[in-house]
Amino acid sequence: MWPATFELIYAGRVLKPSYPIRTDRLILRPFTPADLDALHAIQSLPEVSRYLYWGPRDAEQVREVLETRMGQSALLEEGQALSLAVELASTGELIGDGVLSWHSRLHRSGEIGYVFHPAHHGRGYATEVGQALLELGFDGLNLRRITGRLDGRNEASARVLERLGMRREAHLVENEMVKGEWTDELVYAILQREWHARR
């Protein structure tokens, strides 16, 4: 039986969520053209991209990102990503996004990520979205292992992954050149059986 917050169609390792997906306080749904201004308001902020590979984006760059994300509402093949707009259920305001990437059919592996407007940090929304993404990956797509990777300086995001029950499996020291500087990378992970045990 699926939890009340989800109605999923799962057949042969293909994930086609029934939208919208509702959590306690949020709505997760596919991106639409109407999200352009709100997404730009998020991705144009330097503090949003501080620990990410990309820098602040202008309107045209965000338009291109949005075009891609609008086509990422299902997982049909490995190598694809499911990109979901996150809005407050109480107001309909777009406050961020979440992504579930399907890395390997053979290894049943994937990865989660999330980005939020700074005005909505510290309220548990990232944890709420992370729980939904893990549920989609483990219960919807039947993944065996899901990871989360982040810049070693991003302590807030590390706390989110720890609250989700993910363990730190690696601290890679100065392993990537990002925006002109060497940065550490942290790798977190959780197995399907561990997720089910927590629930």
Side-chain angles (χ1 to χ4, degrees), residues 130-152:
Q131 290 171 339
L133 294 172
L134 289 174
E135 190 162 344
L136 284 167
F138 287 134
D139 295 343
L141 194 56
N142 195 31
L143 296 179
R144 181 176 177 274
R145 174 183 166 87
I146 297 177
T147 59
R149 298 180 302 123
L150 62 151
D151 187 301

Side-chain angles (χ1 to χ4, degrees), residues 43-97:
Q43 295 196 352
S44 62
L45 297 174
E47 57 267 43
V48 168
S49 60
R50 179 180 177 194
Y51 298 125
L52 301 174
Y53 292 112
W54 44 270
R57 290 173 169 156
D58 61 29
E60 186 54 38
Q61 290 172 319
V62 173
R63 189 184 309 278
E64 293 174 4
V65 169
L66 180 59
E67 191 69 30
T68 298
R69 291 187 179 181
M70 286 191 297
Q72 297 177 324
S73 61
L75 289 172
L76 308 178
E77 299 289 344
E78 64 181 0
Q80 294 182 335
L82 182 74
S83 294
L84 302 176
V86 178
E87 63 180 45
L88 288 176
S90 60
T91 65
E93 177 187 2
L94 180 74
I95 63 170
D97 64 84

Side-chain angles (χ1 to χ4, degrees), residues 7 52-53 65-67 99-100 112 129 133 155 178 180 197:
E7 290 180 35
L52 301 174
Y53 292 112
V65 169
L66 180 59
E67 191 69 30
V99 62
L100 170 65
I112 62 169
V129 168
L133 294 172
E155 296 177 3
V178 180

Side-chain angles (χ1 to χ4, degrees), residues 145-180:
R145 174 183 166 87
I146 297 177
T147 59
R149 298 180 302 123
L150 62 151
D151 187 301
R153 300 167 295 180
N154 194 344
E155 296 177 3
S157 188
R159 287 193 297 270
V160 169
L161 298 179
E162 289 164 3
R163 281 194 294 272
L164 291 170
M166 302 177 82
R167 82 185 137 269
R168 183 181 297 186
E169 292 191 337
H171 182 156
L172 308 175
V173 178
E174 295 185 10
N175 70 309
E176 291 189 317
M177 173 64 71
V178 180
K179 298 174 186 169

